[in-house]
Amino acid sequence: MRTISSNEISKLQKNSSNIRNICILAHVDHGKTTLADSLIASNGIISTRLAGKVRYMDSREDEQIRGITMKSSAISLHYPHHDGGDYLINLIDSPGHVDFSSEVSTAVRLCDGAIIIVDAVEGVCPQTHVVLRQAWLESIRPCLVINKIDRLITELKCTPMEAYIRLQQILEQVNALTGELFAVKVMEDSEAANEKKNKQENKSTIENDENNVYDWSTGLEDIDDSSLYFSPDQGNVVFASAIDGWGFRITDFAAIMSKKMGVSQAAMNKTLWGDFYLNSKTKKIMKGAQAKAKKPLFVQVILENLWNLYNSIFIKKDKIQSENIVKSLNLKISTRDSKHTDARVYLYAVCSQWLPLSKAILSMVCDKLPSPNNVSSERVEKLMGNNLSQFQSRPANVEQIKEVILHCKSDDNAPVVLHVTKMVSVEKSCLPQNKPKTLTMEEIRQRRALAKERLLHKNQQRTDEKNEANTDNCDQSTVTTENGSADISSTSLRNSQDSNECSDENAKRDEDGDLEERNHEFVAFARIFCGTIKRGDKLYILNYNKANSKAGISSNDEFSKGESSVGDVSGENVFEVNDLFLWMGRQLELLDEVPAGNILGIGNLEKYILKSATVSSLPHCPPLMPVPYAVVPIVHVAIEPAHPSDMAKLTNGLRLLNQADPCVETLVQESGEHVIVAAGEVHLDRCLKDLKERFAPGVEISVSEPIIPFRETIIPPPEVDMVNEVIDRNEGQNITQRQEFDNDYPNCEESDDKTITVYTSDKSCKLVIKAKPLPKSVVNLLDQNADIIKSITGSKLTGKNHSPSSSTDTSSDVLPFYNSLKEEFDAAGDEWKDIIDEIWSFGPRNYGPNILVNKIPSYNRSSIWNLTQDHSVHLENDVYKKFDNSIITGFQLATLSGPLCEEPMMGVCFIIKEWTYQYSIRSKPMVSPGDKSDSSSKVSCNTENELSSSPDERGVQSVSFNSGQLMSAMKDSCRRALLAQPIRLMDPTYKCTIHATSDVLGRVYAVLGRRNGQIISEDMQEGSSIFNIEAVLPVAESFGFPDEIRKKTSGLANPQLIFNNWEVIPADPFWVPTTEEELLHFGEKADSENRARLLVDKIRVRKGLIVQRKIVEHAEKQRTIKK
């Protein structure tokens, strides 16, 4: 039975110092949900016998079937601490599968601490790296739980000493990861501090100065990192076996052993873990166990006792020895458990009483993790802005909001600030207002009394009817007639009222669309950082992407005063709080108010919030930073309804799906296809299941094959051919294959140096362009800093100055990016030196990893880094400036769809060497100054499509051409310039990590070979027969890969796929055998498949582009040889 009610939880919510907001983070199948079951069982919500079996936090059917968590869910637990205080633990169970890393991001944002779980056998896995980094970036404090120690006993058959060494290695690996994150942060802070100091002192850095050497270790020695790492003697490490229900900290055994050995508990805490041993003769704790080949104290006191317990109960099943152990531990085990046929049941009963897991975990959470009013200042600054310099430059009222959030104030004067990280779809039947209310004993007595009164009233009516039957028939008929007419009139009135109500309901349904017909509603998953939210409050929705969009609403509150307003506070973004919910796993409970520091659910927000937003009582409150996601959606599928009449329902279902999942993207392509973009195969399956069963029920949906995005790029000219022979540059190769693409650009001319010359359709403008591959380091830098490039190019509309020398807030991000990009260009060679100041535009979409460079001698264009700079230009440059956007638009169109298969380009630099005007014979003469009658009409006619240059000293000439022609010419020239170089196709790849035994390595390699995978490394875990294999696998070959691996290896290999990067497919899509060696190796027919060409043709067929295929080639007559 549940040990605490919702009313008692509401009381605990008011004491923020005794609140702990935590999330459970781990790699998939490391025991997160099983651990959560043990914690939930401590509150009586589920039975302790069902802990680890019921998977209470996995409320979805597909989660139970697959055995993995797909949605992060929260629950509030009560824990009476040994210090006498009652603590409220707001626990969030998060997924471990890489496809659902976005759910982890939404959980981490709401918490102040995290429990990192590591499998004692598998050790630190790839997703462990990811979740530890996410916790670090959000500045939340982690604790470590080493789970599944029972596997070291039952599966690996380790001795206590071997298990101790294994536990030491896991701690070292986790601490090494933490140390890397700490070192990177310290070096970034010290570098930023040095740059700020140099900027204040106005000192310019000199490249050749020998004394100007940056020390990478600056700041590492000055900062105390002793409390940063995980160490059992600090109490932030728990050794556990969630499936057997036990767990302990060193402090638990220190309290027991200190009394037996006569040593202080503090001394036992320091010596139970480390190079200490117990001298059996002197009965003293000595140092130097490893040097003297002695067993460490941790092995002697703890592990050997655990091993004896497992040997007696589970392995040998010795009943006499088991009973002696139970008596020595003073445990009371029921007869049902001790005589159970399954030894694991008896083991669970003994271990859960001796070393209860929930007590070890929750006591560590209360002792080591911070409360909401002890949040670090660094975390608050990260929530409210990018860095400290930006934060200090904000108005004074923002500093007041920061102080309120830091101290987690919940009084009436404190403003309400809460952050919604996702919208959760909940069935209406699960909402508390729609559930049948549980009756108390008093309510049952009242209902029983009402039932008795009703029965007495009916009996009295029957007696009265019998007495009235003896009255006169005429009077009875008259009364009957009158009563009948009254009944008819009342019935007609009731019918008219019902029809009016139905018409009102139909009108409301028509107004709200299909919202009333849904069997689910959206509940916001949020945390309140300050203030107290109550039902009936009116709050503002502040979306981060709408900041500074509209003026704010003035207010007399001290927190709302400021010079500038932030956020869109129009009437549409003001809502009234109707429903507040308490998350209890699979259930929700209604609340009247929620104070600061708690996690809650808010209803009726689906019309205001798409995925995440900030909600505040202040219109001028700055919106909190959006949640950063660790994964990028990469898998596309096109969907359509089987019946066109269901298109409206499908569109509405896609809108709801986009709102319910923080990572999924739904879009409509130019071809009209509706596309779902998911993070992986498992994520895609869940999205399609939700769409069919929840958001668009009854709609038959046709799903296409997965659409994988590709990129088109160019590489430096290869030195060897397909058979590793040196290529002769004098021989033209693959010309016939390229001609099918070259014919699409008749106005383009190619020179010997791969330079393309193009004319507009009226021959009035000439462009000379060349394409070059960007250095790989530059491409990676541009791809990683897309947000900064957006801010640079987006300022063209607002007129902001983002030059590196600018002192605006945004320059704090632009300046490091500018310096890093300049360093990468300088390191790439002399040909790229000083090219950064000649960048014209980025593309596609103004922020992609391609650049347009201005090498036109006569066009002195202003730098993209300083958009407000006004150069003094010649009279001829005025013509260039008028059509500057036409060149940029053509470049954007070309990089958005390349010539191979209309996929975006990546890593290409287009250099415009020449841009001249060929003055047309159709040019109109200039109007003489004396002819003023018709001059105005001619000028207005020319301004739309034609431009007349002003007269110069040499005479009068005019230029006549259309800006659309210039766009088209620029697009064609860029695409043709790409074909002139060695063009290649890029495909996205996964980094595949596989844990497999030595028996199935050959099968694993066979599956990877069939799917074009490449093995990167292969390491064997020390002390086990498990191999860790790292490989690179194309995304296009990944569908069905995990299932195939498990089938081929009988479940002995478990792959984990994480998006890696874009890899160049080495094969030339236009390659055909031409040299003698290639003809000898591949044959005249070239029967071996060209993977790049196959992918290009497949994409072009899907997009409806022309594909030239030979249906029959080298046909031979079939002969039937008779025996």
Side-chain angles (χ1 to χ4, degrees):
M1 182 181 292
R2 185 173 167 182
T3 59
I4 189 170
S5 63
S6 58
N7 293 330
E8 293 173 328
I9 290 179
S10 299
K11 295 179 181 179
L12 294 175
Q13 287 181 339
K14 298 179 180 179
N15 186 8
S16 60
S17 60
N18 284 1
I19 296 176
R20 299 293 184 270
N21 298 313
I22 63 171
C23 57
I24 303 178
L25 308 176
H27 188 79
V28 65
D29 290 334
H30 277 202
K32 297 180 298 300
T33 307
T34 304
L35 178 69
D37 276 359
S38 298
L39 303 183
I40 294 170
S42 66
N43 274 229
I45 299 175
I46 61 174
S47 172
T48 55
R49 299 178 184 274
L50 297 177
K53 302 174 183 177
V54 69
R55 300 178 61 90
Y56 183 78
M57 300 298 282
D58 292 346
S59 57
R60 295 171 56 95
E61 181 182 357
D62 47 359
E63 288 179 326
Q64 295 287 343
I65 294 174
R66 288 181 179 267
I68 60 174
T69 304
M70 298 183 182
K71 285 280 188 180
S72 57
S73 52
I75 192 170
S76 296
L77 304 175
H78 167 247
Y79 176 65
H81 200 260
H82 57 77
D83 60 1
D86 289 331
Y87 285 80
L88 178 64
I89 311 296
N90 294 320
L91 176 69
I92 302 179
D93 183 24
S94 60
H97 198 282
V98 66
D99 284 5
F100 308 104
S101 294
S102 59
E103 295 284 341
V104 179
S105 301
T106 59
V108 170
R109 170 56 62 89
L110 303 183
C111 297
D112 303 316
I115 298 176
I116 309 294
I117 301 179
V118 179
D119 192 324
V121 175
E122 296 182 1
V124 177
C125 294
Q127 198 64 11
T128 311
H129 291 243
V130 175
V131 297
L132 195 60
R133 184 174 183 272
Q134 285 180 305
W136 178 268
L137 293 178
E138 289 289 341
S139 299
I140 67 174
R141 190 181 303 172
C143 287
L144 181 64
V145 175
I146 302 180
N147 193 23
K148 299 188 180 183
I149 296 181
D150 60 291
R151 294 183 63 191
L152 299 176
I153 307 173
T154 59
E155 293 182 18
L156 300 186
K157 309 294 183 182
C158 294
T159 63
M161 191 64 196
E162 292 173 346
Y164 174 73
I165 295 174
R166 177 63 181 160
L167 297 177
Q168 269 189 327
Q169 293 173 350
I170 292 175
L171 274 173
E172 291 174 357
Q173 293 173 1
V174 178
N175 287 330
L177 291 176
T178 307
E180 290 178 5
L181 297 171
F182 172 72
V184 170
K185 179 181 180 299
V186 171
M187 287 187 287
E188 288 178 352
D189 293 343
S190 60
E191 184 179 1
N194 291 334
E195 290 181 358
K196 185 178 180 180
K197 183 179 179 181
N198 293 335
K199 186 177 180 180
Q200 291 176 352
E201 296 177 356
N202 295 324
K203 292 183 178 181
S204 60
T205 58
I206 304 174
E207 295 181 0
N208 297 327
D209 189 0
E210 297 180 355
N211 296 325
N212 188 17
V213 179
Y214 177 72
D215 185 8
W216 64 270
S217 62
T218 302
L220 289 177
E221 298 178 356
D222 302 334
I223 300 178
D224 181 20
D225 59 346
S226 58
S227 61
L228 179 69
Y229 301 104
F230 302 102
S231 180
D233 56 356
Q234 293 184 5
N236 57 1
V237 178
V238 169
F239 304 93
S241 171
I243 195 66
D244 291 335
W246 61 266
F248 65 88
R249 288 193 296 169
I250 280 184
T251 54
D252 299 333
F253 277 92
I256 300 173
M257 300 305 297
S258 61
K259 298 178 181 178
K260 292 184 178 181
M261 300 178 62
V263 183
S264 65
Q265 186 173 347
M268 288 298 298
N269 279 332
K270 294 181 179 179
T271 56
L272 265 178
W273 181 265
D275 194 24
F276 300 93
Y277 72 98
L278 178 65
N279 193 328
S280 58
K281 295 181 180 179
T282 61
K283 301 297 182 181
K284 293 183 179 180
I285 299 174
M286 311 292 289
K287 191 175 183 180
Q290 184 177 1
K292 298 178 182 179
K294 299 290 186 179
K295 292 181 181 179
L297 194 62
F298 185 80
V299 176
Q300 290 178 306
V301 175
I302 300 177
L303 292 186
E304 287 185 348
N305 290 328
L306 274 175
W307 260 244
N308 291 334
L309 179 65
Y310 270 82
N311 284 330
S312 302
I313 298 178
F314 187 75
I315 298 176
K316 295 181 181 179
K317 300 179 181 179
D318 189 341
K319 293 185 178 180
I320 298 176
Q321 191 173 0
S322 301
E323 292 177 357
N324 293 333
I325 292 176
V326 171
K327 290 180 180 179
S328 63
L329 295 175
N330 296 324
L331 304 178
K332 294 182 179 180
I333 308 299
S334 64
T335 307
R336 174 185 175 185
D337 292 335
S338 60
K339 295 184 178 180
H340 202 282
T341 56
D342 187 2
R344 200 113 205 177
V345 175
Y346 188 25
L347 180 67
Y348 182 89
V350 173
C351 293
S352 60
Q353 288 190 34
W354 179 37
L355 301 171
L357 176 62
S358 60
K359 180 181 177 182
I361 297 293
L362 295 179
S363 61
M364 177 181 67
V365 167
C366 296
D367 295 339
K368 296 301 177 181
L369 298 184
S371 62
N373 53 8
N374 290 330
V375 179
S376 64
S377 177
E378 180 185 4
R379 173 165 167 78
V380 178
E381 290 165 3
K382 284 185 177 181
L383 287 174
M384 302 184 71
N386 287 330
N387 50 38
L388 186 62
S389 61
Q390 279 189 344
F391 188 83
Q392 293 176 345
S393 63
R394 285 175 171 169
N397 68 309
V398 179
E399 183 68 23
Q400 296 175 355
I401 295 175
K402 175 201 169 184
E403 293 299 325
V404 175
I405 295 177
L406 264 177
H407 298 91
C408 193
K409 294 182 179 180
S410 58
D411 52 8
D412 295 336
N413 296 327
V416 175
V417 177
L418 58 89
H419 193 202
V420 177
T421 57
K422 68 173 183 176
M423 302 294 290
V424 182
S425 176
V426 180
E427 294 184 1
K428 288 185 178 181
S429 59
C430 296
L431 295 177
Q433 57 266 33
N434 297 332
K435 287 185 176 181
K437 185 179 179 181
T438 304
L439 300 178
T440 62
M441 293 303 297
E442 184 64 26
E443 291 175 342
I444 293 175
R445 293 192 193 99
Q446 293 177 0
R447 290 199 174 191
R448 186 181 294 114
L450 290 174
K452 289 181 178 179
E453 291 180 2
R454 235 182 273 115
L455 181 60
L456 292 174
H457 183 64
K458 284 185 178 180
N459 293 335
Q460 185 66 30
Q461 283 183 344
R462 289 176 183 174
T463 304
D464 295 341
E465 288 178 358
K466 290 180 180 179
N467 294 333
E468 291 177 358
N470 299 325
T471 59
D472 187 42
N473 293 332
C474 181
D475 296 338
Q476 183 180 1
S477 62
T478 305
V479 172
T480 304
T481 305
E482 292 176 355
N483 290 338
S485 62
D487 292 340
I488 293 172
S489 61
S490 63
T491 303
S492 62
L493 179 61
R494 191 182 304 112
N495 291 336
S496 63
Q497 291 177 353
D498 292 342
S499 63
N500 292 334
E501 291 177 359
C502 291
S503 62
D504 294 340
E505 291 179 359
N506 292 332
K508 185 176 180 181
R509 184 179 292 110
D510 293 339
E511 182 180 355
D512 295 342
D514 296 333
L515 296 179
E516 300 295 334
E517 299 178 0
R518 298 204 315 261
N519 58 353
H520 64 91
E521 290 185 2
F522 283 100
V523 177
F525 195 67
R527 173 184 169 176
I528 179 169
F529 286 95
C530 62
T532 301
I533 184 173
K534 303 177 182 179
R535 298 176 67 178
D537 290 349
K538 290 187 177 181
L539 303 177
Y540 300 99
I541 307 295
L542 306 171
N543 293 318
Y544 183 79
N545 55 359
K546 294 183 179 180
N548 297 323
S549 60
K550 294 184 180 181
I553 298 176
S554 61
S555 176
N556 296 325
D557 189 22
E558 59 177 349
F559 293 101
S560 63
K561 295 178 181 179
E563 297 178 358
S564 62
S565 62
V566 180
D568 186 359
V569 293
S570 60
E572 297 179 355
N573 287 347
V574 179
F575 83 104
E576 182 177 353
V577 180
N578 293 327
D579 296 322
L580 296 175
F581 300 104
L582 173 68
W583 295 100
M584 292 300 294
R586 301 181 181 183
Q587 300 177 358
L588 292 172
E589 295 185 3
L590 279 173
L591 297 174
D592 293 329
E593 63 178 26
V594 180
N598 290 281
I599 296 172
L600 72 155
I602 308 175
N604 302 322
L605 274 178
E606 59 181 301
K607 296 180 181 179
Y608 304 94
I609 298 176
L610 179 62
K611 291 180 182 289
S612 64
T614 303
V615 180
S616 176
S617 60
L618 303 178
H620 301 279
C621 176
L624 302 182
M625 296 297 294
V627 179
Y629 297 132
V631 295
V632 179
I634 195 70
V635 181
H636 298 60
V637 291
I639 61 174
E640 62 179 3
H643 304 288
S645 59
D646 294 332
M647 179 58 75
K649 293 183 180 179
L650 177 61
T651 305
N652 185 55
L654 289 174
R655 179 184 62 82
L656 298 175
L657 174 64
N658 184 37
Q659 189 173 15
D661 195 295
C663 186
V664 74
E665 295 180 4
T666 58
L667 50 95
V668 180
Q669 292 185 339
E670 296 179 356
S671 59
E673 289 180 310
H674 291 268
V675 176
I676 296 177
V677 189
E681 187 177 5
V682 181
H683 185 215
L684 178 63
D685 290 343
R686 193 202 69 185
C687 292
L688 293 176
K689 179 180 177 63
D690 287 346
L691 182 64
K692 295 177 182 178
E693 297 180 359
R694 177 170 295 187
F695 302 121
V699 178
E700 187 178 351
I701 299 173
S702 300
V703 183
S704 70
E705 292 292 328
I707 304 171
I708 307 301
F710 290 87
R711 297 291 184 266
E712 300 181 22
T713 187
I714 54 177
I715 61 173
E719 299 294 334
V720 295
D721 57 9
M722 296 292 290
V723 290
N724 293 328
E725 295 288 337
V726 178
I727 297 177
D728 187 2
R729 299 296 177 191
N730 297 325
E731 296 182 3
Q733 296 183 358
N734 305 337
I735 296 177
T736 57
Q737 292 289 330
R738 292 180 185 266
Q739 282 180 352
E740 59 182 279
F741 290 88
D742 295 345
N743 295 333
D744 296 334
Y745 313 102
N747 295 333
C748 299
E749 300 175 0
E750 180 181 351
S751 60
D752 295 337
D753 60 346
K754 308 296 183 182
T755 301
I756 302 300
T757 303
V758 65
Y759 294 89
T760 56
S761 57
D762 60 356
K763 306 297 182 182
S764 61
C765 181
K766 173 186 175 183
L767 292 172
V768 179
I769 297 178
K770 185 177 181 179
K772 292 174 60 177
L774 282 172
K776 190 174 182 180
S777 58
V778 174
V779 177
N780 294 334
L781 187 63
L782 294 176
D783 197 21
Q784 295 169 2
N785 296 275
D787 293 335
I788 300 178
I789 300 175
K790 282 182 184 179
S791 66
I792 297 172
T793 56
S795 61
K796 178 178 284 189
L797 299 176
T798 59
K800 292 182 180 179
N801 187 358
H802 289 311
S803 64
S805 60
S806 174
S807 60
T808 57
D809 298 339
T810 316
S811 64
S812 60
D813 291 331
V814 177
L815 180 58
F817 170 65
Y818 176 86
N819 294 332
S820 301
L821 190 60
K822 184 177 178 59
E823 291 176 2
E824 297 296 342
F825 274 124
D826 293 342
D830 295 337
E831 60 176 338
W832 299 102
K833 197 172 183 179
D834 299 331
I835 203 172
I836 187 171
D837 294 323
E838 297 174 345
I839 295 178
W840 196 334
S841 177
F842 298 93
R845 300 183 180 91
N846 291 314
Y847 61 87
N850 306 285
I851 61 173
L852 179 65
V853 176
N854 176 21
K855 289 284 188 179
I856 305 171
S858 59
Y859 185 24
N860 187 15
R861 187 183 185 275
S862 60
S863 173
I864 193 174
W865 308 102
N866 191 356
L867 296 173
T868 60
Q869 181 179 356
D870 189 12
H871 289 283
S872 58
V873 296
H874 297 288
L875 204 57
E876 185 180 359
N877 286 348
D878 191 31
V879 180
Y880 293 132
K881 292 177 68 175
K882 292 289 185 181
F883 292 94
D884 186 278
N885 287 333
S886 299
I887 294 293
I888 295 177
T889 304
F891 166 72
Q892 301 295 336
L893 293 174
T895 53
L896 187 60
S897 58
L900 275 182
C901 46
E902 293 189 357
E903 291 289 323
M905 299 182 190
M906 187 173 188
V908 184
C909 171
F910 292 100
I911 301 174
I912 302 183
K913 295 185 174 181
E914 184 180 348
W915 180 12
T916 58
Y917 298 103
Q918 306 294 330
Y919 298 116
S920 175
I921 58 174
R922 297 178 297 166
S923 300
K924 299 181 180 180
M926 181 181 176
V927 181
S928 61
D931 189 3
K932 299 181 181 179
S933 60
D934 201 26
S935 60
S936 61
S937 62
K938 291 183 179 180
V939 171
S940 62
C941 180
N942 285 341
T943 53
E944 183 176 357
N945 290 328
E946 299 179 357
L947 175 69
S948 297
S949 61
S950 301
D952 56 5
E953 297 178 356
R954 300 179 182 178
V956 179
Q957 290 177 330
S958 63
V959 180
S960 171
F961 65 94
N962 192 306
S963 62
Q965 297 180 15
L966 188 58
M967 275 187 257
S968 178
M970 182 64 189
K971 175 185 175 183
D972 292 345
S973 61
C974 290
R975 298 178 69 169
R976 182 61 181 83
L978 201 73
L979 288 173
Q981 302 292 334
I983 189 170
R984 294 293 186 271
L985 201 64
M986 300 180 72
D987 61 344
T989 58
Y990 281 132
K991 183 180 179 182
C992 178
T993 304
I994 305 174
H995 301 282
T997 60
S998 57
D999 301 334
V1000 295
L1001 282 181
R1003 303 174 189 174
V1004 172
Y1005 291 157
V1007 176
L1008 286 172
R1010 283 197 301 271
R1011 294 178 175 265
N1012 297 311
Q1014 297 179 0
I1015 306 296
I1016 299 177
S1017 64
E1018 173 189 320
D1019 299 322
M1020 185 177 183
Q1021 289 185 1
E1022 296 183 6
S1024 66
S1025 60
I1026 298 176
F1027 283 82
N1028 296 330
I1029 305 168
E1030 290 188 358
V1032 174
L1033 185 71
V1035 175
E1037 304 286 347
S1038 65
F1039 298 98
F1041 174 74
D1043 294 337
E1044 185 179 2
I1045 280 284
R1046 295 188 185 99
K1047 289 178 181 178
K1048 295 293 184 181
T1049 61
S1050 301
L1052 297 177
N1054 185 24
Q1056 178 80 359
L1057 300 176
I1058 303 175
F1059 179 72
N1060 185 26
N1061 54 19
W1062 298 87
E1063 293 287 343
V1064 178
I1065 299 176
D1068 184 357
F1070 300 107
W1071 175 83
V1072 290
T1074 53
T1075 62
E1076 294 182 3
E1077 292 80 5
E1078 290 177 344
L1079 290 172
L1080 181 63
H1081 187 272
F1082 295 101
E1084 294 182 0
K1085 302 178 184 179
D1087 295 330
S1088 60
E1089 296 180 345
N1090 185 344
R1091 179 168 173 258
R1093 184 67 184 186
L1094 290 175
L1095 290 174
V1096 169
D1097 290 344
K1098 185 177 180 180
I1099 298 170
R1100 292 181 69 89
V1101 168
R1102 177 175 58 82
K1103 293 185 176 182
L1105 303 176
I1106 298 176
V1107 177
Q1108 295 185 1
R1109 291 179 176 176
K1110 295 181 179 180
I1111 305 301
V1112 178
E1113 186 178 4
H1114 302 289
E1116 297 178 358
K1117 184 178 180 181
Q1118 181 180 1
R1119 296 194 315 169
T1120 303
I1121 301 177
K1122 297 181 180 179
K1123 294 182 180 180

